[in-house]
Amino acid sequence: EAGVAQSPRYKIIEKRQSVAFWCNPISGHATLYWYQQILGQGPKLLIQFQNNGVVDDSQLPKDRFSAERLKGVDSTLKIQPAKLEDSAVYLCASSPQGGNTEAFFGQGTRLTVV
Amino acid sequence: QQQVKQSPQSLIVQKGGISIINCAYENTAFDYFPWYQQFPGKGPALLIAIRPDVSEKKEGRFTISFNKSAKQFSLHIMDSQPGDSATYFCAAARWYQLIWGAGTKLIIKP
């Protein structure tokens, strides 16, 4: 079974530029998560999709971050414009059905904003 | 009520010793309690999980102890090995929610 795929693995951008991350979850998984993980901290949920609907985006900075899940499968997370404090690893995860099933994580995208 | 409190923040254990990490929750509606292990540069991976109808679950050297009345659960790593050095996260879930602890950085000294 293929795992969660993310790209790119690394990205360096200047502040005020825009960036996009892509995630392909495990086939058949209804739930998709985007997390932000700052070095030395736990994952912080940015947005959670159930199929192609949003179930939680309460911690997503909506003035600069946006996310969509196309046809309930792939997802993209965009930051526009980026700030220095957005430097972090962005993790995508998927699970079969909701929070009380195992979440499988991708390798993450390490974003550095300079 | 949605928080999961994890302790300690960091832990150093001698090789062969027992590592113990504790978590506490408040929402009695949680019905799934996983532990995730994360190595540097990798995403978290499920280590072991328990549901509240049992008080203990063991998989190899890893054991979850669950105390429903105290709303606490803990991870025990027996015969800790240097390869166990990683960051460990507890979590609590119900339906679509998955609430994470802050993490424990575990170092096993040879």
Side-chain angles (χ1 to χ4, degrees):
Chain A
E1 177 181 80
V4 176
Q6 287 189 248
S7 67
R9 284 296 315 275
Y10 305 94
K11 190 76 177 178
I12 301 174
I13 61 171
E14 295 182 351
K15 60 183 179 184
R16 292 187 289 274
Q17 284 188 323
S18 62
V19 64
F21 313 126
W22 174 82
C23 174
N24 185 18
I26 293 173
S27 177
H29 280 193
T31 307
L32 186 146
Y33 309 83
W34 282 103
Y35 286 94
Q36 179 193 61
Q37 188 173 28
I38 293 171
L39 188 65
Q41 298 183 17
K44 171 189 168 184
L45 180 68
L46 292 175
I47 189 166
Q48 179 178 342
F49 294 94
Q50 187 73 11
N51 297 307
N52 60 352
V54 175
V55 294
D56 188 350
D57 64 356
S58 57
Q59 297 192 86
L60 186 74
K62 297 180 186 65
D63 58 334
R64 298 185 302 106
F65 286 64
S66 64
E68 61 178 359
R69 188 176 185 192
L70 305 172
K71 299 179 182 177
V73 183
D74 291 9
S75 179
T76 56
L77 176 70
K78 297 179 181 177
I79 308 175
Q80 182 178 12
K83 293 185 175 182
L84 296 176
E85 58 261 35
D86 298 332
S87 294
V89 174
Y90 290 84
L91 293 162
C92 179
S94 70
S95 67
Q97 195 71 245
N100 56 2
T101 55
E102 180 179 355
F104 295 82
F105 282 80
Q107 293 267 55
T109 296
R110 181 176 296 278
L111 173 68
T112 302
V113 183
V114 297
Chain B
Q1 234 201 355
Q2 295 293 66
Q3 279 189 319
V4 176
K5 295 181 181 179
Q6 183 172 346
S7 63
Q9 195 172 20
S10 61
L11 182 62
I12 300 174
V13 174
Q14 289 293 129
K15 178 183 173 182
I18 302 173
S19 303
I20 302 174
I21 304 170
N22 300 299
C23 284
Y25 64 97
E26 295 184 359
N27 189 342
T28 56
F30 289 135
D31 59 5
Y32 178 67
F33 301 87
W35 284 90
Y36 283 83
Q37 181 188 54
Q38 186 176 28
F39 293 105
K42 303 288 187 182
L46 182 68
L47 184 64
I48 187 172
I50 197 168
R51 296 195 185 269
D53 52 344
V54 296
S55 60
E56 186 176 281
K57 183 174 182 180
K58 185 175 181 180
E59 290 183 0
R61 296 183 294 108
F62 302 91
T63 300
I64 299 179
S65 296
F66 185 78
N67 186 330
K68 191 173 182 178
S69 60
K71 293 185 282 187
Q72 295 175 347
F73 58 110
S74 60
L75 175 69
H76 292 65
I77 306 174
M78 311 299 288
D79 187 26
S80 299
Q81 299 297 312
D84 297 331
S85 296
T87 300
Y88 293 81
F89 296 95
C90 65
R94 63 179 285 265
W95 188 35
Y96 67 87
Q97 287 185 312
L98 180 62
I99 309 296
W100 292 75
T104 296
K105 185 172 183 179
L106 174 63
I107 297 171
I108 306 300
K109 285 199 165 183

